[in-house]
Amino acid sequence: MPSIDEIRGALYRSAAHPGTDLAAAALLVAAEEYPDLDRARYLAFLDDVAERVRRELGDTPTPDHARRAMCAELFERLGFAGDTEDYYDPRNSYLNEVIDRRRGIPITLAVVYIAVGTRLGQPVYGVNAPGHFLVRHADVLLDPFASGRVVERATLAAWLAQMGVEDADAQVARLVAAPPDTRAVLVRILGNLKANHLQRKDFTRALAVVDRLVHLDPTNPLWLRDRGALYQRLDCPHAAVADFERYLRLVPNDPEGDVIREALVKLKRQAPTLQ
């Protein structure tokens, strides 16, 4: 059984490697929760799905033909669907659970679709839209949470405008033209998982998630702030102080900075050796 350090090391290496199989990287997120996880079995499942679609398509399918065949296999025959009953169930962020249960959230269902499409040599990419991850298959946008339903670009622009995004049409063009890399997809999966654990007040698991985010996304100091807050809640004052102080050095003008400084004073009173 691999150790946590070994699993995380493999995760960080996967995020840094441009040729990483996205599904293999996503399974490394799950491996920390399921240390006996047989990742090869789930990758073999995706291989088998792709092979069934390949036999139906023949050697030179058009992207449109491939998209329809993939949607039929994944969403109709295999029954993959969005989890509308318990969207925030942490299992929806673990690819093994998504494959076993045939239920997931937009980003993990997108990982399944992209994994199959990549195995077929199809031009499939993620679309890192705020609030709802999508897939681009050639020039078509689709929603894996809604059984592969086609999403018009004007519809996506309207969604973004409702969320307050300025110049939504231009933002759609940017999202479509710049698909997220493996690291960005992993960060989004883990960000969802952090929110799930916090909703359930499972602070220990939330901390384990944020610790990975700090390493995967070092340019975002907010993860340091979040980790410091979790350390504080879990009565780890030394670690909380280290993260809060580092955060304030990186973001000295944070509007919430006074709140963090007050927390630092209290933490140092709890652990006088920090003075």
Side-chain angles (χ1 to χ4, degrees):
M1 181 188 304
S3 68
I4 296 296
D5 286 344
E6 289 171 333
I7 293 169
R8 290 190 182 185
L11 177 69
Y12 303 151
R13 288 191 297 274
S14 294
H17 196 288
T20 295
D21 181 341
L22 183 58
L27 285 168
L28 287 167
V29 172
E32 189 161 326
E33 180 69 18
Y34 305 89
D36 293 324
L37 181 64
D38 184 355
R39 285 175 278 150
R41 179 169 72 85
Y42 291 96
L43 295 175
F45 168 84
L46 295 168
D47 292 342
D48 290 344
V49 174
E51 186 55 35
R52 286 197 297 274
V53 176
R54 191 190 313 278
R55 287 197 296 267
E56 179 180 338
L57 288 172
D59 294 331
T60 56
T62 65
D64 186 63
H65 187 192
R67 174 176 58 81
R68 293 176 188 277
M70 287 172 59
C71 286
E73 180 67 26
L74 289 169
F75 304 119
E76 295 176 23
R77 285 192 282 274
L78 289 174
F80 281 93
D83 189 347
T84 56
E85 294 184 2
D86 194 0
Y87 186 93
Y88 299 101
D89 187 333
R91 293 179 296 176
N92 289 326
S93 292
Y94 295 127
L95 188 59
N96 59 315
E97 291 280 5
V98 172
I99 290 173
D100 287 341
R101 299 167 58 241
R102 305 291 198 266
R103 291 293 181 272
I105 53 177
I107 193 166
T108 46
L109 292 168
V111 169
V112 172
Y113 189 96
I114 291 168
V116 173
T118 299
R119 284 160 170 73
L120 291 168
Q122 286 295 305
V124 287
Y125 312 95
V127 178
N128 205 11
H132 200 98
F133 200 91
L134 298 171
V135 170
R136 174 165 67 90
H137 192 145
D139 293 326
V140 175
L141 304 184
L142 60 95
D143 183 358
F145 190 78
S147 302
R149 181 182 63 196
V150 172
V151 177
E152 300 297 336
R153 297 190 187 202
T155 302
L156 176 56
W159 289 353
L160 297 180
Q162 289 174 1
M163 296 172 67
V165 174
E166 296 183 3
D167 199 355
D169 289 328
Q171 179 64 5
V172 168
R174 286 192 290 270
L175 288 169
V176 170
D181 60 12
T182 301
R183 184 186 303 275
V185 174
L186 292 173
V187 165
R188 185 151 176 177
I189 290 172
L190 286 164
N192 288 331
L193 191 55
K194 181 202 77 166
N196 299 156
H197 290 321
L198 287 176
Q199 186 182 54
R200 287 165 166 73
K201 300 189 184 304
D202 190 341
F203 302 118
T204 300
R205 281 188 168 86
L207 176 61
V209 171
V210 177
D211 194 45
R212 281 172 279 178
L213 285 166
V214 168
H215 289 82
L216 279 171
D217 192 17
T219 62
N220 186 351
L222 292 177
W223 303 130
L224 281 171
R225 185 195 65 187
D226 290 351
R227 190 173 68 176
L230 285 163
Y231 276 134
Q232 181 181 19
R233 183 174 286 275
L234 292 169
D235 295 323
C236 301
H238 291 77
V241 166
D243 277 351
F244 282 153
E245 289 186 334
R246 184 177 166 199
Y247 173 75
L248 289 173
R249 287 195 296 272
L250 293 170
V251 192
N253 297 319
D254 183 352
E256 299 292 324
D258 288 342
V259 174
I260 296 174
R261 291 182 184 93
E262 289 177 11
L264 279 169
V265 171
K266 293 177 182 178
L267 286 163
K268 290 180 178 180
R269 286 174 182 162
Q270 292 174 23
T273 57
L274 292 170
Q275 298 294 340

